Amino acid sequence: MRRTNLTAATDSESWVGLGLELRHATGPGLRPEVADGNRIVLSQGPDAVLLARIDDDRGGVEYSRTDYYRSPVAPLRATEVRALAGGGRPYWYARWAHRFADALEASPLGPLHEGRWVLAREGVTRTGDGPVGPWRSLLLDDHPDGCIDWSTGSRGIMPLRQLRPPDGGRVKAYRKQAREGILPPVLLWWFSGLHCYVILDGHARLVAAVAEDREPAVLVLSRARSEEQTRTGRDKALSDHHLTMSILDGPHPVADREGAARSASHLLATQLHRLEVDYAPTRAWPTQRT
């Protein structure tokens, strides 16, 4: 698997994500399957871990989880967590991204398949009601059954297994790490078929962070645009930039030409960056189940 460190659009020293490219055809262990245009099954090996049905009016989806989900990431040892200390800093996210990429590449239980992916530093939009307010409002923890209302436009966060209680043994250990500022990131996967994130690894870590009223650190795995899509978008962004600069350099005076040129360059950098990190649709397969 080829890896590329991705930096911020306007700061080449700030790490924001890890580009992954799988050249060889691989069948993912965790894969969405579809049937009849409105039924979705999330399968992991021979097991169905989630069953969903899209509403006829396409306004939302009802789902049910089965408790068969298994994380593609082995349990994290306390010694490893402390060795990778540096919570919240870009290099800390980068270390954990490579650690998760190693696990996803080696595991037969994860969603990776041939193509381009991004494992990026992300955060839930703040709503002003505290560091974990958005997590409490977006967490789809109505286990095992629930529904997502797409008309609200919100991107929920779905556990793939029942969450542990805040006073459980493993959660208590993670709560201590949260207080120390070394709690590892939660690993999410963008699942466009449900228009939500699902938790690949870190169910207990998420509970621990929320219990300690701390915003969880997050890394999000998503499919990336294809090379052709990226190239087309890059060519258009560059063409638009060249057109803007030709106008600024033309015979007619432009107020604050230097400021306008800086803005145009910033826009170009942002557009090129988004081409690298924006989510692409999740791939699905025909269902093998009746």
Side-chain angles (χ1 to χ4, degrees):
M1 178 169 60
R2 179 185 175 190
R3 304 183 190 185
T4 305
N5 285 304
L6 305 175
T7 58
T10 56
D11 182 1
S12 61
E13 300 299 319
S14 181
W15 185 95
V16 297
L18 185 64
L20 310 175
E21 186 171 3
L22 281 72
R23 293 287 190 179
H24 303 293
T26 55
L30 183 68
R31 65 189 229 166
E33 299 176 353
V34 295
D36 301 336
N38 62 354
R39 287 195 296 128
I40 300 174
V41 179
L42 182 60
S43 296
Q44 191 174 47
D47 301 319
V49 299
L50 180 140
L51 308 171
R53 184 178 183 86
I54 300 172
D55 297 340
D56 291 338
D57 63 0
R58 297 298 190 266
V61 59
E62 298 178 357
Y63 60 84
S64 179
R65 289 162 287 204
T66 66
D67 279 335
Y68 288 130
Y69 177 72
R70 294 166 290 163
S71 172
V73 180
L76 306 177
R77 299 181 181 276
T79 53
E80 179 182 16
V81 171
R82 296 188 181 283
L84 295 178
R89 298 178 181 177
Y91 72 81
W92 179 79
Y93 279 96
R95 289 174 177 175
W96 278 111
H98 281 280
R99 167 67 173 81
F100 288 146
D102 288 340
L104 291 169
E105 183 178 18
S107 175
L109 303 175
L112 292 183
H113 56 75
E114 181 181 14
R116 304 173 75 193
W117 298 78
V118 173
L119 188 52
R121 176 182 176 181
E122 293 278 354
V124 178
T125 302
R126 293 184 180 275
T127 60
D129 53 355
V132 299
W135 290 89
R136 291 193 176 105
S137 63
L138 296 177
L139 190 59
L140 304 168
D141 60 350
D142 44 358
H143 192 85
D145 305 322
C147 62
I148 302 173
D149 183 1
W150 289 338
S151 65
T152 64
S154 62
R155 296 181 172 189
I157 301 161
M158 181 183 292
L160 288 179
R161 58 178 175 231
Q162 188 167 12
L163 295 176
R164 298 173 182 267
D167 58 354
R170 179 174 294 183
V171 175
K172 281 185 176 180
Y174 283 136
R175 291 180 68 170
K176 183 174 184 294
Q177 293 179 3
R179 292 193 295 271
E180 295 175 3
I182 61 172
L183 185 66
V186 177
L187 178 60
L188 303 181
W189 172 34
W190 173 244
F191 190 163
S192 65
L194 297 179
H195 199 68
C196 75
Y197 302 95
V198 299
I199 302 176
L200 287 179
D201 186 72
H203 291 74
R205 298 196 296 278
L206 175 56
V207 173
V210 172
E212 293 295 323
D213 199 33
R214 297 170 185 265
E215 183 177 9
V218 169
L219 286 166
V220 176
L221 177 72
S222 65
R223 283 191 70 206
R225 298 171 186 248
S226 68
E227 288 187 30
E228 181 179 355
Q229 290 171 328
T230 301
R231 183 168 54 253
T232 299
R234 184 186 302 115
D235 290 345
K236 183 176 188 309
L238 290 171
S239 175
D240 291 345
H241 178 72
H242 290 155
L243 176 60
T244 299
M245 295 306 297
S246 67
I247 294 174
L248 294 178
D249 294 334
H252 303 290
V254 176
D256 190 14
R257 192 265 177 204
E258 291 186 5
R262 284 195 300 270
S263 296
S265 296
H266 179 81
L267 175 60
L268 175 62
T270 300
Q271 290 174 326
L272 296 179
H273 175 70
R274 296 314 309 177
L275 288 171
E276 296 291 338
V277 300
D278 273 352
Y279 302 157
T282 307
R283 181 179 174 183
W285 284 258
T287 186
Q288 304 297 315
R289 304 173 189 276
T290 58

